[in-house]
Amino acid sequence: MTDLSVSLGKLQLAFPTLMASGCYGSGEEYASFIDLSQVGGIVLKSVTRWPRLGNATPRLVPTPSGMLNAIGLQNPGIDWYLEHEVRKFADRPCAIIGSVAGFSVDDYGYITERLARRKEIAAIEVNISCPNVASEGETFACDPQLTKKVVELTRSVTDKPLIVKLSPNVTDIAAIAVQAQDAGADALAVINTVRAMSIDVDAWRPRLGNIAGGLSGAAIRPIALLAVYEVARAVRIPIVGQGGIETPNDALEFFLAGATAISIGTANFTDPRAPLRIVEGVRDYLQQRNLKSLKEITGKANVGFSNAHQYEGDEG
Amino acid sequence: MTDLSVSLGKLQLAFPTLMASGCYGSGEEYASFIDLSQVGGIVLKSVTRWPRLGNATPRLVPTPSGMLNAIGLQNPGIDWYLEHEVRKFADRPCAIIGSVAGFSVDDYGYITERLARRKEIAAIEVNISCPNVASEGETFACDPQLTKKVVELTRSVTDKPLIVKLSPNVTDIAAIAVQAQDAGADALAVINTVRAMSIDVDAWRPRLGNIAGGLSGAAIRPIALLAVYEVARAVRIPIVGQGGIETPNDALEFFLAGATAISIGTANFTDPRAPLRIVEGVRDYLQQRNLKSLKEITGKANVGFSNAHQYEGDEG
Amino acid sequence: MPLVQSSAAVHTTTVLDRTELAPGVVVIGLHAPDLVAVTRPGHFVMAIPPSGERASVALGVYEAEGERASFMLAVVGSRTRELADVAPGERVEFFGPLGNGFDLSQGHKNVAIVAGGVGIASVLLAAQALVAGGARVRLYYGARTKALLADADKFEQAGCAVHCATDDGSLGFSGFITDLFAKTEDRPDLVLACGPSPMLRAVCKIAMQMNIQAQLSLEETFACGVGACWGCVIPVERGSAQAPRFPMLSTDGNRGDPVYARICREGPVFWAHELRW
Amino acid sequence: MPLVQSSAAVHTTTVLDRTELAPGVVVIGLHAPDLVAVTRPGHFVMAIPPSGERASVALGVYEAEGERASFMLAVVGSRTRELADVAPGERVEFFGPLGNGFDLSQGHKNVAIVAGGVGIASVLLAAQALVAGGARVRLYYGARTKALLADADKFEQAGCAVHCATDDGSLGFSGFITDLFAKTEDRPDLVLACGPSPMLRAVCKIAMQMNIQAQLSLEETFACGVGACWGCVIPVERGSAQAPRFPMLSTDGNRGDPVYARICREGPVFWAHELRW
Ligand SMILES: Cc1cc2nc3c(=O)[nH]c(=O)nc-3n(C[C@H](O)[C@H](O)[C@H](O)COP(=O)(O)OP(=O)(O)OC[C@H]3O[C@@H](n4cnc5c(N)ncnc54)[C@H](O)[C@@H]3O)c2cc1C
Ligand SMILES: Cc1cc2nc3c(=O)[nH]c(=O)nc-3n(C[C@H](O)[C@H](O)[C@H](O)COP(=O)(O)OP(=O)(O)OC[C@H]3O[C@@H](n4cnc5c(N)ncnc54)[C@H](O)[C@@H]3O)c2cc1C
Ligand SMILES: Cc1cc2nc3c(=O)[nH]c(=O)nc-3n(C[C@H](O)[C@H](O)[C@H](O)COP(=O)(O)O)c2cc1C
Ligand SMILES: Cc1cc2nc3c(=O)[nH]c(=O)nc-3n(C[C@H](O)[C@H](O)[C@H](O)COP(=O)(O)O)c2cc1C
Ligand code: FES
Ligand code: FES
């Protein structure tokens, strides 16, 4: 049997497929379409310290091969969440990974500590690629120092696996990745959405209520893939690749670039069976090549700059 | 008559449409498909100090709603260029804008000085979003200090209009834009391609000879649009918007975001008439609304963060 | 008043028939007995474009009888174009039925249905169910031009009185359908409506003035269609039947009214008096 | 030996006919007298996919006679699928003809043409011109399976001897067409070839061994198709007829051989002995 199980630190996953935060509710929304025991895990919608209404509408805009979203972390806040929501996750047939978002370094520690204590939660994803009101609209993941502080603090409050989710909206994602690793992250989620916008030319107004939003879907796949490739060359901890993964071929690109697992977000919106088709296709690929496990391909396209002409290479 | 002329500093353009550097050769390649007197200007392929072979092949990869390229600035070098190429541009019926690329700050000054002296060249685009061997693979446009140095030097060697071309692969493009403006740029080109990659899962190898490349086309349009919007709020000089512009509607989004002119690159590959269709559609739009010139819409979607809920807004 | 809950699955179906009602408006009939068995008036599905390259598209369930269900498609962009191009014998996949449909459980006896454009597709099942339940049902149906009214006879066959309006006056009343509806002297005890947003707002206002209850089927850009992404929200009254049952800061930034409900999950049908738009 | 130069324009044409040769292989006939007037053997066009949402696709000009030109399309992805789906009466736009075609000016008398798969589309005009010029012409045509060889009779009609091979042995020689060609005892004085890269490399090797001149029509991913982007290059001998006429560092990083030529502009047809791949 081809082995598709992977581990992210101490977190064992039967399949290398996570359902991306904010795209899968708590899994209940998709339970009538696919057998949730066939996915590796579900990353819950990010939760904050206080209840949040989320952003003004519209919150979604379709774009070429992708979509913009600006949900604004609509969620009930950690108190209600712990009291009413978390217990519902107990009987999910796959790993449940909490996602925490904060507006100060302190928020992350506080929420992580409370959430990680619950047995229903197998691991915590630290979403530092959301806005940081304290530092004037920048996200934590855009600042190596803030990244370090958040990860150190969350590390100090739990032994459960910590996945730190990075932003692509930076000059050097590998440098941020190294900070997160050195501060104690068990794994890295690469990447969150790419900042973008759309304008209604009849109304002379941004289409999103929030003006700017995050681009996801196939359009960003090549961007996400390079981010994974570069981060993989810089760190030793596992990477959860994400950004526009829709097919087995897409998933394989991310494994070859250096991802240990992948997350599937927007592709579920097109077809809820996407995670099953991806796992099936990846299994076929390994079997056809007599490969026993994903380890045999992880990072294998991660070649050095061996090309003789690389020294003069660029994207001009 | 609706006025579609615009100016970028002292550079007057009969139409707001530039043909993007590296995508249009020297215009001769497209002369049998469209009347070049109907485009605002042509930005030539970037030229370097020495002849360059360019990158190893393959150099192109199609991606969802876009493409990757890693040409590597194949060009004959400034000496041959001045002697054999530039004179051919004399009779072009639109503005000819030279593009210079360098591997050191000094390169930019040297090439700009020599190229700008030629009467065939109406303005210079300073392509600082290409690799900088001196600073280890980073591009000049990723570093505010290098941006400043390059622009100051090129400014000191010519009075011709200088358009500085920025990279989207940075944490804060507006900050770089301000540096370029303060150092003497007459206009800014926003954006160059987005760094990305693709992997061949059969060969276990990156698809591009150069490993990484630049993503262009409709996929990056929402990313480019936000970059223009943010730069427009930070600077006083005109912006040449670019990235995935294919239709009149796309062009109008960029004008409303704050672009004075636009560049068209990848769309020419799909249909060489794209620049004409865009100009026609923009003219119709203005006429239908009784608007006399593009000035009446430039930056008009550039609203403040007036939304009541913005304070809690993000892209989660 | 809880609205009807759906029971959803992924369906792989075969195209039985394809009818072009007017330029750019197509009805696609599918062999879909499993959908027919569970769908209720006001439900929608998410149709997966055949190439799989594009996002799925929300479509109201138009007809559902025996083994055949159908959708009415207005071609407005690349996804609806691709779906409208399918030929009989080809495969169409979708997931659903989704959302909460119309609440027809309260024994209303005199019902007016107001529909605009392809909004008509979301109300035929409701009209049939109401007539079957003994209600007197009128359809007010508006469209840009005559050709688009082609399927109005389905409502006559169902036993409804049909009143038409066209923007260009090519058939029936010349003007907005809501203007025609506003003139009625036969006050209904329930209004159902589906169509473009401005039409729904007008219906809402008229219903308030007449002091009649109204249920509106709303359209928004959807991503997931199943309540997972919180992208399709609309402000509703806090504490209303359709408001999410957990704390939220309000749209005023205070712990007050209103709050956001998901159109795809708490809707797409909302009671007019619970909306705060 | 300068190759033929083209004279290009944007063409808007109407589909005359559409023939499915084999599953996934289609010939589209277009009313395109302006293209017929200027196209030469080995030319290609960039076809604009009807929706305008996708990049244009390089296609060899297959037939060109009277007012009709045709293209042969192998459906391999979304762009070729969209183009192959057009129906008679619909509009197809393209720009071209582009590139330098085959050089048939040198009075060769005994020509072998080696084609693989839809590569056949790029050599029919050459075969016709050679026969018309008095040459004896043989076609070696290989494909995966029999069904794909459907159009070989066009070459017979043109007066060529046709030798077929299929990978699965369903028609003609069982194996690669190049293996069949290598066995010939009738040594041609010129070889033309078009097909997948491994086939072209094999042809190149055989031609060298036989000491015959060969012209190869190459395929690569194109962006512009007109020589503007330098994306489609291949290493050629510095100083060869097809090498760009300006200084370039070589592929060895020195000022030596080879240098990069654009397949779309300096090619797509190259003399085998000038390539350095
Ligand atoms: C609950 C629900 C039920 C629906 N039921 C139906 C149905 O039964 N039949 C049906 O045809 N559609 C229905 N719709 C609308 C349909 O989902 C959208 O029109 C469709 O997603 C558009 O996809 P597209 O890719 O073709 O167009 P896009 O590319 O997304 O849009 C193209 C252009 O059309 C505009 N546009 C988008 N939607 C509409 C619209 N509805 N009317 C006019 N212009 C529009 C856009 O602003 C854009 O300019 C329903 C929507 C919802 C939420
Ligand atoms: C000068 C020239 C002339 C050409 N003439 C013709 C012609 O006459 N008829 C024709 O059908 N094609 C021809 N081609 C090839 C054609 O341009 C490409 O196959 C087409 O661009 C593929 O577009 P797509 O979007 O359908 O596929 P893509 O989405 O680009 O590719 C889909 C998949 O098919 C693979 N693929 C791409 N091209 C081929 C191929 N040629 N064979 C097998 N697999 C492939 C890709 O690697 C990918 O996996 C020519 C190419 C050139 C450069
Ligand atoms: C509607 C939507 C909501 C999202 N919400 C969150 C969130 O709350 N927390 C988070 O970490 N990422 C969030 N994301 C980002 C996704 O988890 C994922 O990283 C991103 O969409 C890229 O993957 P994809 O292209 O497969 O969707 C959201 C994405 C979408 C489309
Ligand atoms: C094939 C190709 C080559 C390019 N070469 C250059 C170049 O030499 N110099 C430069 O400044 N930009 C270059 N660019 C970037 C374009 O000028 C343009 O900024 C970018 O492609 C975004 O616009 P688009 O999406 O309309 O193509 C190149 C782009 C492409 C696709
Ligand atoms: S579309 Fe996702 S919650 Fe409604
Ligand atoms: S494809 Fe652009 S130069 Fe050949």
Side-chain angles (χ1 to χ4, degrees), chain A residues 212-246:
Chain A
L215 183 60
S216 66
I220 66 166
R221 191 191 310 140
I223 301 171
L225 191 68
L226 180 59
V228 167
Y229 181 83
E230 293 191 331
V231 170
R233 292 163 62 87
V235 302
R236 299 170 309 275
I237 54 178
I239 295 168
V240 184
Q242 61 202 280
I245 299 176
E246 295 177 345

Side-chain angles (χ1 to χ4, degrees), chain B:
Chain B
M1 250 305 276
T2 317
D3 183 10
L4 290 183
S5 71
V6 296
S7 14
L8 303 173
K10 288 178 298 182
L11 177 66
Q12 306 281 333
L13 302 172
F15 297 97
T17 41
L18 297 182
M19 303 303 105
S21 178
C23 299
Y24 218 68
S26 71
E28 170 267 327
E29 292 83 351
Y30 282 99
S32 54
F33 306 117
I34 78 169
D35 176 357
L36 294 177
S37 74
Q38 301 300 303
V39 308
I42 296 166
V43 187
L44 303 166
K45 174 78 187 164
S46 301
V47 65
T48 55
R49 189 187 279 242
W50 305 113
R52 283 175 58 83
L53 179 74
N55 288 330
T57 59
R59 294 177 173 183
L60 300 173
V61 180
T63 67
S65 295
M67 56 173 274
L68 297 179
N69 88 79
I71 309 299
L73 297 175
Q74 176 160 357
N75 83 90
I78 188 66
D79 291 339
W80 170 284
Y81 197 73
L82 291 174
E83 192 170 342
H84 300 277
E85 306 287 334
V86 174
R87 73 170 78 124
K88 296 184 203 158
F89 311 149
D91 56 353
R92 293 277 195 286
C94 59
I96 294 292
I97 299 163
S99 170
V100 307
F103 295 84
S104 66
V105 173
D106 189 53
D107 272 5
Y108 283 98
Y110 175 79
I111 307 166
T112 300
E113 175 162 28
R114 295 187 61 193
L115 189 55
R117 226 182 274 144
R118 295 292 294 262
K119 66 174 187 321
E120 294 90 344
I121 302 294
I124 299 283
E125 186 167 278
V126 188
N127 176 8
I128 53 169
S129 18
C130 81
N132 166 16
V133 175
S135 76
E136 290 173 325
E138 282 292 312
T139 70
F140 290 89
C142 291
D143 180 330
Q145 286 316 307
L146 284 176
T147 298
K148 185 161 172 272
K149 278 193 196 152
V150 169
V151 180
E152 277 173 356
L153 179 59
T154 50
R155 176 74 296 162
S156 74
V157 299
T158 184
D159 288 334
K160 286 198 176 159
L162 285 183
I163 305 168
V164 177
K165 186 159 181 179
L166 303 183
S167 165
N169 307 301
V170 296
T171 308
D172 186 359
I173 194 171
I176 311 271
V178 168
Q179 291 295 331
Q181 168 188 264
D182 293 352
D186 295 296
L188 301 170
V190 178
I191 55 174
N192 211 318
T193 52
V194 181
R195 295 184 69 236
M197 95 184 281
S198 175
I199 289 174
D200 181 333
V201 306
D202 290 315
W204 293 21
R205 263 208 319 255
R207 282 190 189 276
L208 289 171
N210 191 50
I211 302 177
L215 183 62
S216 66
I220 67 166
R221 190 191 311 139
I223 302 171
L225 191 69
L226 179 60
V228 167
Y229 181 84
E230 293 191 330
V231 170
R233 292 163 60 89
V235 301
R236 300 170 309 275
I237 54 179
I239 295 167
V240 185
Q242 62 203 280
I245 298 176
E246 296 178 344
T247 68
N249 189 85
D250 302 342
L252 290 163
E253 285 193 77
F254 279 81
F255 293 132
L256 287 164
T260 295
I262 55 163
S263 265
I264 303 165
T266 305
N268 291 302
F269 305 161
T270 301
D271 188 341
R273 295 163 304 180
L276 305 186
R277 279 205 325 256
I278 288 170
V279 161
E280 233 170 81
V282 169
R283 184 185 285 121
D284 289 351
Y285 175 95
L286 295 177
Q287 277 171 355
Q288 278 159 22
R289 286 165 181 73
N290 268 313
L291 300 168
K292 300 239 152 26
S293 81
L294 277 172
K295 279 206 197 78
E296 302 194 46
I297 64 169
T298 311
K300 286 297 158 61
N302 199 355
V303 294
F305 291 103
S306 62
N307 186 292
H309 318 298
Q310 179 52 34
Y311 68 91
E312 47 174 11
D314 83 316
E315 292 107 43

Side-chain angles (χ1 to χ4, degrees), chain D residues 9 21 31 38 46 58 96 107 126 128 203 206 218 229 249 261 267 277:
Chain D
L21 293 186
H31 182 255
V38 295
M46 296 293 284
Q128 291 169 340
V203 169
I206 297 165
L218 305 184
C229 78
L249 288 177
W277 51 336

